[in-house]
């Protein structure tokens, strides 16, 4: 059974383009998917999370996950879509909060959680670097490395956790691996 919605988070144009040329039917689906992505609207800060193939409408979430939003911004910017609204939101959060939280209320633009994510900061580094937003990339990188375990006696030394307290070993693979990849890309 086919899904009724398509997640914009995983509409990766680079991957889709690599798949092109394998079949005419596949190429038509890829082109249609890229067109849907190119037409993605914004509410002034955030992107819809899904596209309904039934109603042919984009669907927003009431609570916005910034990992999803950053993946969508990466996908959009990779095909030349202007993502300046999302950049403005990120810049505003750094000015207002000094950090970026994991989830926000779509209407009020206020954080709905108090946690940060090294994975989110890693994605923001990649996104901001790819569009020439070096100030945002630098701020995200500097905040990301604050989550690195720097306790030499820890078995998790050098890895990342989602807590900043000394000895915090609460980690998720996503929050560990993405920052390590970001470090590798930067030659750190």
């Amino acid at each position: 059974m086919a899904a009724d919605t398509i997640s914009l988070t995983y509409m990766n144009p680079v991957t889709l383009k690599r798949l092109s040329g394998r079949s005419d039917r596949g190429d038509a689906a890829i082109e249609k998917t890229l067109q849907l992505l190119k037409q993605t609207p914004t509410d002034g800060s955030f992107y819809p999370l899904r596209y309904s193939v039934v109603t042919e409408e984009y669907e927003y979430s009431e609570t916005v996950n910034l990992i999803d939003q950053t993946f969508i911004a990466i996908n959009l910017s990779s095909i030349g879509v202007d993502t300046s609204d999302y950049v403005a939101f990120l810049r505003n959060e750094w000015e207002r909060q000094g950090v970026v939280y994991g989830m926000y209320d779509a209407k009020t633009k206020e954080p709905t959680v108090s946690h940060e994510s090294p994975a989110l900061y890693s994605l923001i580094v990649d996104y901001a670097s790819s569009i020439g937003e070096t100030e945002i990339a630098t701020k995200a990188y500097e905040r990301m490395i604050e989550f690195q375990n720097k306790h030499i006696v820890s078995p998790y030394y050098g890895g990342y956790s989602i807590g900043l307290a000394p000895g915090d070993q609460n980690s998720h693979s996503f929050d560990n691996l993405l920052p390590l990849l970001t470090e590798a890309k930067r030659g750190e």
Side-chain angles (χ1 to χ4, degrees):
M1 185 165 126
D4 292 340
T5 61
I6 301 170
S7 171
L8 300 180
T9 304
Y10 304 111
M11 276 190 188
N12 184 312
V14 173
T15 302
L16 289 171
K17 289 176 182 176
R18 285 183 184 153
L19 294 172
S20 68
R22 296 181 185 261
S23 75
D24 291 339
R25 184 174 168 206
D27 285 351
I30 290 168
E31 188 54 40
K32 186 173 183 177
T33 302
L34 290 172
Q35 283 305 314
L36 287 174
L37 196 55
K38 287 177 185 175
Q39 296 167 4
T40 300
T42 177
D43 69 1
S45 295
F46 302 127
Y47 302 104
L49 183 59
R50 294 172 297 278
Y51 178 80
S52 170
V53 294
V54 174
T55 64
E56 297 184 348
E57 294 179 351
Y58 294 89
E59 298 176 354
Y60 288 86
S61 294
E62 291 179 18
T63 302
V64 178
N65 180 316
L66 283 204
I67 286 180
D68 288 326
Q69 292 296 299
T70 306
F71 270 127
I72 294 168
I74 289 168
N75 294 339
L76 293 173
S77 65
S78 76
I79 54 173
V81 174
D82 177 26
T83 58
S84 58
D85 286 345
Y86 189 59
V87 169
F89 169 79
L90 293 173
R91 187 172 284 119
N92 183 59
E93 281 307 286
W94 258 292
E95 290 171 9
R96 197 169 72 95
Q97 308 272 359
V99 299
V100 177
Y101 293 101
M103 300 183 85
Y104 286 79
D105 181 282
K107 288 189 174 102
T108 67
K109 311 296 189 255
E110 291 296 323
T112 60
V113 296
S114 60
H115 67 264
E116 301 168 70
S117 164
L120 172 59
Y121 288 127
S122 171
L123 290 170
I124 292 172
V125 169
D126 290 348
Y127 163 63
S129 297
S130 75
I131 61 169
E133 288 287 341
T134 54
E135 181 183 351
I136 290 175
T138 300
K139 286 180 180 182
Y141 183 79
E142 288 171 352
R143 187 64 179 159
M144 179 192 83
I145 61 173
E146 288 183 38
F147 288 86
Q148 188 175 42
N149 183 320
K150 295 176 179 78
H151 306 286
I152 201 156
V153 296
S154 170
Y156 305 106
Y157 177 72
Y160 286 82
S161 69
I162 58 173
L164 292 175
D168 190 336
Q169 298 174 8
N170 188 3
S171 186
H172 303 113
S173 61
F174 202 56
D175 283 309
N176 190 37
L177 295 175
L178 286 180
L180 292 171
L181 286 170
T182 295
E183 283 185 38
K185 288 178 194 173
R186 293 175 63 111
E188 305 273 324

